[in-house]
Amino acid sequence: MTANQIVAPAVDLYSDTVSRPTTAMRRAMAEAEVGNEQAMEDPTVNRLCARVAELLGKESAVFLPSGTMCNEIAYRVWVDRGEEIVLDESAHALHFEAGGPAALAGAMVRTVRGRRGIFSAADLETVIRVPRGHHGQRQRLVNIENTANLGGGAVWPLETVKEVADCARSHGLKVHMDGARLLNAVVASGVPASAYGALCDSVWIDLSKGLGCPVGGVLAGSAEFIERCWLFKHQFGGAMRQAGIIAAAGVHALDHHIERLAEDHANARYLAEGISEIGGLSVDVSEIETNMVYFDVTTPAFDAAGLSEGLMREHRVRIGAMGPRRMRAVTHIDVDRSGIETALTSLKAVMSAA
């Protein structure tokens, strides 16, 4: 297929990663002051890192090309080869990072079975290893994903994070938060980002999801931790030069795009409520906490892939298939209420035809 044959969606609910920079964000990027990021001479990158460190209540931060790199560098710092990372069985790092923990950190993973991506201190205790001589691998890190993607955008309660963190530290383990959608959790719960950050040894936010930036993530922690991160930033190919052009998008987003995440959450609930009224589809509206709507195709007429293809082919509405009958719609800055209405009308039409 050539570029000329690609048909763009009219309403794209595939992911919040498809969001595009606004006109104001593009202007900020075009006017950004830049310098040599590697020599700490890019004023816009420095400003972004200082802002995120303050937001998360940490001493320092580093700007990276992707959220996956934020996770993988943190794992490489905290975990030696052959040691374990403990994470939920639905964690992004386990399913969607191309085997990065093993390939880049040489790490083992041990999974916890939580509920909707959230596990308790009691759950964590069930998988804690007691070191036995030279034979058993050592655990080093507990990974928390907030919000939990495969959990439907579920928000970790602050008290649960505290209990898990206390449990982890009682066993000598570090705590890392995959905060790709942490600001969605902050807006939905009213809990400051710094309150979550205070319970974790490392934490990051993604710029290219709900904040609407074209690229990047920012990883934060102690000054010593971030200094170590810089080594692996180079080693993993994350070194940049005049990166202020893209960092400016992040600064703009922190100024203008955090509180508006509430609109995405409201649109997600509105979408879920509409889906609940369409025959052949099933959704639990009570589980909609942030900007994700997971729902199931219950009609025998077709499966999730068939519905996804029909929506795009006939209505230019894109919603992803996450399994044989599981679908995920993600609201974001590029889809307003009228876009949600279009998506619902299109879903009704395709399901009625079936």
Side-chain angles (χ1 to χ4, degrees), residues 143-226:
N143 181 94
I144 291 171
E145 182 185 338
N146 192 20
T147 65
N149 180 354
L150 291 182
V155 177
W156 275 72
L158 185 66
E159 186 58 31
T160 303
V161 177
K162 183 180 186 307
E163 291 170 358
V164 167
D166 287 346
C167 177
R169 294 198 175 94
S170 74
H171 293 284
L173 309 181
K174 297 290 187 181
V175 179
H176 169 72
M177 180 172 284
D178 173 341
R181 297 180 176 88
L182 175 58
L183 295 182
N184 288 91
V186 166
V187 169
S189 67
V191 175
S194 58
Y196 284 113
L199 300 174
C200 303
D201 298 289
S202 53
V203 56
W204 61 275
I205 61 169
D206 203 317
L207 303 175
S208 64
K209 292 187 172 69
L211 293 182
C213 301
V215 66
V218 185
L219 174 62
S222 68
E224 180 182 4
F225 168 79
I226 295 300

Side-chain angles (χ1 to χ4, degrees), residues 7 12 34 54 62 81 106 108 110 128 134 149 153 160 198 204 208 230-231 267-268 291 305-306 309 314 351:
V7 177
D12 199 341
V34 300
E54 180 181 15
V62 60
R81 296 189 179 280
M108 302 281 286
R110 187 166 178 83
I128 291 294
H134 303 295
N149 180 354
T160 303
W204 61 275
S208 64
W230 271 91
L231 169 65
N267 282 337
N291 67 326
E309 292 167 6
E314 299 169 24
M351 296 303 295

Side-chain angles (χ1 to χ4, degrees), residues 39-124:
M40 310 293 184
E41 294 173 355
D42 190 303
T44 308
V45 171
N46 294 344
R47 187 178 310 120
L48 173 64
C49 291
R51 287 282 300 278
V52 173
E54 180 181 15
L55 178 70
L56 299 177
K58 294 300 182 186
E59 289 182 336
S60 189
V62 60
F63 181 42
L64 297 170
S66 72
T68 292
M69 189 176 283
C70 290
N71 272 341
E72 301 308 331
I73 286 179
Y75 299 158
R76 184 67 182 86
V77 171
W78 295 129
V79 183
D80 205 353
R81 296 189 179 280
E83 296 178 335
E84 276 189 352
I85 303 167
V86 180
L87 38 63
D88 188 83
E89 63 183 4
S90 68
H92 188 277
L94 185 63
H95 296 281
F96 303 117
E97 296 185 10
L104 300 174
M108 302 281 286
V109 295
R110 187 166 178 83
T111 60
V112 183
R113 176 164 293 183
R115 181 182 179 278
R116 298 183 63 214
I118 299 172
F119 53 89
S120 67
D123 296 328
L124 179 59

